[in-house]
Amino acid sequence: MTDRHLDIAIDQVRSVLVGKTHAPQVKAFFDEPTFTVSYVVSDAATGKAAIIDSVWNFDQASGRTSFESADAIIAYVTDQGLTVDWILETHAHADHLSAAPYLQEKLGGKLAIGREIVTVQGVFGKIFNEGTQFARDGSQFDRLLDDGDTLMVGEIPLVALHVPGHTPADIAYVVGDALFTGDTMFMPDYGSARADFPGGDARQLYRSVRRLMQLPDETRVFLCHDYKAPNRDEYMWETTILAERTGNVHLHDGVSEDDFVAMRTQRDATLAMPKLILPSLQVNMRGGHLPEPDENGVSYLRLPVNLL
């Protein structure tokens, strides 16, 4: 995608915000075992809502799943009398399983993700040696989003921005004055996401974050994860574009692309694989569904040995 097209999408977001008050209500749900923050974003005027990056609880040792995190979202939506129109994923997560199908069954709404999920399906379909029965066309989702696509949360516009780097398929969502970054950047004192997964690219990540930092300084920024920076005792997941642009330890104003790439490459080489990456990707590339069960009615997740 050319810089011109990127600028058009950012200008599109700015045009939505200029002269208007679009401040959605945002409710966060933090899942400490995976350090993941899920969100319910709603329009107070209409009661319409979107859910972003839900968590399906999974115990790897036993292979058992549960829905505590998703049920907390359902309880909130029900208590507030909200109608869910959209269930959104910022990307195919490597650290938790998505609860999207369960939430869709209980609350309705359409499931959406970035169009480049087909690239991720192609890469990991090969890694997990999936057969031809695994569709690699994104058909597991109700809508595939292109850069600049606009949805509505009630009367509040939601603009999808393609922000590759962590994975090829990452999408950030601007909902009124709120930005949901997915895995691009974290709290200013923690920095940026890794870029060493298959299809990841530190240069793309740098440019994606720089693009987001063109948004108005007062834009509220909601992060997908927090791991507590050194010397910080509390989890945090809300900041502003101004705070990120001026204070992000990896990506503040003045950090060059080459310096960031060198830092990110060196840092990523020291990181362990996420604990749930293998089960998560098999489920999340299917839109939150388990693989088709075997003849005994049980679904199985694969573990490629000495491949990654």
Side-chain angles (χ1 to χ4, degrees):
M1 184 172 295
T2 67
D3 290 341
R4 175 176 174 274
H5 286 119
L6 299 183
D7 291 342
I8 288 172
I10 290 293
D11 288 344
Q12 178 182 345
V13 173
R14 288 182 174 274
S15 70
V16 165
L17 297 178
V18 168
K20 299 179 181 179
T21 301
H22 288 304
Q25 294 181 332
V26 179
K27 175 66 173 177
F29 298 83
F30 184 63
D31 179 64
E32 188 168 350
T34 64
F35 307 103
T36 301
V37 194
S38 306
Y39 296 98
V40 176
V41 190
S42 59
D43 174 21
T46 63
K48 298 299 182 75
I51 298 169
I52 301 176
D53 288 338
S54 62
V55 172
W56 184 9
N57 306 104
F58 178 70
D59 179 68
Q60 189 166 20
S62 67
R64 292 190 176 277
T65 62
S66 58
F67 292 105
E68 291 93 341
S69 294
D71 284 339
I73 290 175
I74 292 169
Y76 173 79
V77 168
T78 302
D79 181 67
Q80 297 296 310
L82 301 175
T83 300
V84 174
D85 285 343
W86 295 101
I87 299 174
L88 305 173
E89 302 287 354
T90 55
H91 62 296
H93 302 273
D95 42 32
H96 69 271
L97 282 63
S98 169
Y102 178 74
L103 290 169
Q104 196 169 33
E105 177 187 350
K106 300 294 185 181
L107 299 173
K110 294 183 178 180
L111 175 59
I113 198 169
R115 184 172 300 279
E116 287 302 311
I117 186 63
V118 299
T119 300
V120 174
Q121 289 175 329
V123 169
F124 284 96
K126 184 177 296 184
I127 286 174
F128 292 113
N129 199 29
E130 299 285 354
T132 56
Q133 71 276 10
F134 171 58
R136 295 160 170 82
D137 58 2
S139 57
Q140 300 86 347
F141 301 84
D142 297 312
R143 179 158 176 181
L144 301 182
L145 297 169
D146 292 308
D147 189 74
D149 277 355
T150 300
L151 311 175
M152 298 299 294
V153 179
E155 297 175 353
I156 304 176
L158 179 154
V159 181
L161 298 176
H162 185 214
V163 285
H166 174 64
T167 79
D170 279 59
I171 289 280
Y173 299 107
V174 181
V175 189
D177 71 337
L179 167 67
F180 299 86
T181 65
D183 286 14
T184 53
M185 54 186 170
F186 302 135
M187 289 297 293
D189 60 358
Y190 198 88
S192 59
R194 65 194 298 167
D196 60 330
F197 295 151
D201 187 301
R203 290 193 182 278
Q204 284 190 329
L205 180 60
Y206 178 91
R207 295 168 189 174
S208 292
V209 173
R210 281 281 173 261
R211 184 188 190 202
L212 295 177
M213 287 181 177
Q214 296 178 48
L215 293 169
D217 285 351
E218 63 274 16
T219 302
R220 295 183 290 161
V221 177
F222 295 92
L223 311 172
C224 188
H225 298 287
D226 187 55
Y227 305 98
K228 289 185 188 174
N231 304 316
R232 174 154 57 81
D233 296 327
E234 296 181 352
Y235 292 108
M236 302 176 68
W237 46 78
E238 181 179 353
T239 182
T240 66
I241 285 293
L242 178 62
E244 291 283 11
R245 187 170 53 75
T246 58
N248 187 290
V249 293
H250 294 167
L251 286 156
H252 60 78
D253 287 348
V255 175
S256 72
E257 181 175 320
D258 286 343
D259 286 345
F260 173 77
V261 169
M263 179 281 300
R264 192 69 263 171
T265 302
Q266 182 179 14
R267 182 179 174 87
D268 287 350
T270 70
L271 299 178
M273 295 277 279
K275 292 180 180 179
L276 295 182
I277 184 171
L278 297 176
S280 293
L281 286 170
Q282 290 175 79
V283 170
N284 295 339
M285 69 184 185
R286 290 176 163 87
H289 292 280
L290 292 169
E292 287 296 316
D294 283 3
E295 63 277 0
N296 62 356
V298 177
S299 293
Y300 291 87
L301 297 168
R302 293 188 168 200
L303 179 68
V305 178
N306 294 329
L307 178 62
L308 299 175

